[in-house]
Amino acid sequence: NFTDATTAVGQAGVVRLGVSGGTTADITITAGMNLNDIAAAINAQTTTTGVGANVLQTSPGNFQLVLSATATNKQITNSVVSGGNVFD
């Protein structure tokens, strides 16, 4: 959880995203990116991966990155390619 969507997350890595049985794409996340930037990077690959991202404010001062599959009943897969697991 993050206190806002525009502060740098401070973590870097490459994450491979996709849906079960589908095509994956590597998403590069730098320490200077914020939640909005990460969502935009994921959404730039939605056509390939079938995964979309939104930033939601779940309560005052609490923001989360939410991933969703564009197809019904598809499980999102992710794995760390390099760096840390930025989704922890």
Side-chain angles (χ1 to χ4, degrees):
N1 296 333
F2 297 88
T3 57
D4 68 59
T6 58
T7 299
V9 297
Q11 298 182 49
V14 178
V15 178
R16 184 165 292 143
L17 283 179
V19 294
S20 295
T23 304
T24 61
D26 291 350
I27 310 296
T28 300
I29 299 169
T30 65
M33 293 173 83
N34 60 45
L35 289 180
N36 290 331
D37 297 330
I38 295 169
I42 292 168
N43 291 334
Q45 296 294 329
T46 297
T47 302
T48 301
T49 64
V51 178
N54 290 296
V55 177
L56 298 180
Q57 182 174 7
T58 56
S59 63
N62 190 18
F63 291 79
Q64 293 182 339
L65 180 68
V66 178
L67 304 180
S68 58
T70 58
T72 304
N73 296 323
K74 290 289 187 177
Q75 182 176 351
I76 296 171
T77 62
N78 74 80
S79 61
V80 176
V81 175
S82 66
N85 186 351
V86 296
F87 291 135
D88 278 347

